[in-house]
Amino acid sequence: DCLPSPEDLKYKILVKAKKNTQEDQNIQDEPASGKQSSDTKGLENDPIPNKDVNQREAEIAKSEALGSLVNYCEALKFVSLDQERHFWQMFSLTETKALEISKDEQNAKKFVQINTRNLSRIYPKGTRTDSSNYDPFPFWSQGCQMVALNFQTEDDKNQHNRAVFRQNGGCGYVLKPEYLTTKVSHYSVSKATYETKMNLKIKLLSGQHLGKGVMI
């Protein structure tokens, strides 16, 4: 009743998409119900499109072949933090909605707990027409596995992203901090961090233009 480990998923491709539900299947099975007005007596073979027909055609367009490839990343529309989810179902949130959740201590804790069992994806809001980026650290600190950025913008946010995932041998994933993996979470909005303190020793081999009185 949990997702496979990264080790188990090596050399595999995960497909994220929506799957047809029983309700979708019922819509596909329903006959088209094109309606005609009294002014279309000579156009019996050309019914006026209506909302039901358009909806039916849109549902039929969903690919059954694609849906059959979805196993661990079934896209589920986000309704609330309390909605029932299977472990293979995931949802996506705009940065605005995710920040709204994170500002409330209780909702933030619920979000962290969801991310110990399900996948979640955060993406930039649509008003970022300049391809700017948000700070990914708050969402990493809540256990979000996929924090999407605009890669076409060379900024400090993308530098942080590359630096974080250069860890663990650059294999493409890093392990979460312990507080994001335990069932009893000690998460706190004010104390959560994805940063790790470390001491660096630098050996200077050569230098120039250091200025007078600079001691190394």
Side-chain angles (χ1 to χ4, degrees), residues 168-181:
N168 202 19
C171 67
Y173 74 91
V174 294
L175 297 178
K176 294 182 181 182
E178 185 177 355
Y179 77 90
L180 290 176
T181 59

Side-chain angles (χ1 to χ4, degrees), residues 11-202:
Y11 312 116
K12 293 180 174 62
I13 298 174
L14 296 181
V15 177
K16 171 186 174 289
K18 292 183 179 180
K19 299 190 73 169
N20 283 353
T21 62
Q22 185 60 47
E23 182 180 355
D24 295 331
Q25 190 62 46
N26 293 339
I27 293 175
Q28 291 184 19
D29 294 340
E30 290 177 359
S33 57
K35 297 181 180 178
Q36 294 176 306
S37 68
S38 59
D39 296 327
T40 59
K41 293 180 180 179
L43 301 173
E44 287 83 4
N45 296 326
D46 188 19
I48 298 175
N50 58 58
K51 185 177 180 180
D52 292 338
V53 173
N54 291 338
Q55 181 181 7
R56 179 173 177 271
E57 291 178 348
E59 295 298 335
I60 292 176
K62 288 185 178 180
S63 171
E64 288 290 343
L66 177 61
S68 66
L69 298 175
V70 177
N71 45 22
Y72 297 124
C73 297
E74 179 185 346
L76 185 70
K77 182 180 179 180
F78 179 83
V79 177
S80 73
L81 293 171
D82 297 319
Q83 74 185 105
E84 186 177 347
R85 303 175 182 85
H86 298 291
F87 68 88
W88 63 82
Q89 293 175 321
M90 64 173 294
F91 57 87
S92 298
L93 297 174
T94 65
E95 58 172 296
T96 306
K97 182 62 178 178
L99 283 173
E100 179 184 325
I101 291 174
S102 65
K103 289 179 180 178
D104 182 87
E105 187 80 24
Q106 294 302 316
N107 284 338
K109 288 183 177 181
K110 286 182 181 180
F111 196 24
V112 168
Q113 284 300 299
I114 290 172
N115 286 329
T116 63
R117 185 170 181 265
N118 297 81
L119 298 177
S120 66
R121 168 180 167 265
I122 313 299
Y123 59 94
K125 58 186 178 181
T127 54
R128 289 187 180 273
T129 55
D130 58 349
S131 295
S132 59
N133 284 306
Y134 52 82
D135 183 4
F137 279 103
F139 306 119
W140 287 333
S141 299
Q142 293 179 20
C144 300
Q145 294 85 356
M146 288 174 269
V147 182
L149 298 175
N150 289 311
F151 272 28
Q152 65 270 32
T153 302
E154 187 58 41
D155 55 9
D156 57 343
K157 312 303 187 301
N158 270 308
Q159 292 174 3
H160 294 159
N161 185 73
R162 287 197 295 270
V164 166
F165 289 99
R166 192 169 290 177
Q167 302 176 81
N168 202 19
C171 67
Y173 74 91
V174 294
L175 297 178
K176 294 182 181 182
E178 185 177 355
Y179 77 90
L180 290 176
T181 59
T182 56
K183 291 185 178 180
V184 180
S185 177
H186 301 289
Y187 174 84
S188 171
V189 173
S190 59
K191 297 181 180 179
T193 179
Y194 211 86
E195 301 175 6
T196 302
K197 292 183 179 180
M198 61 178 63
N199 295 323
L200 295 178
K201 291 185 179 181
I202 300 176

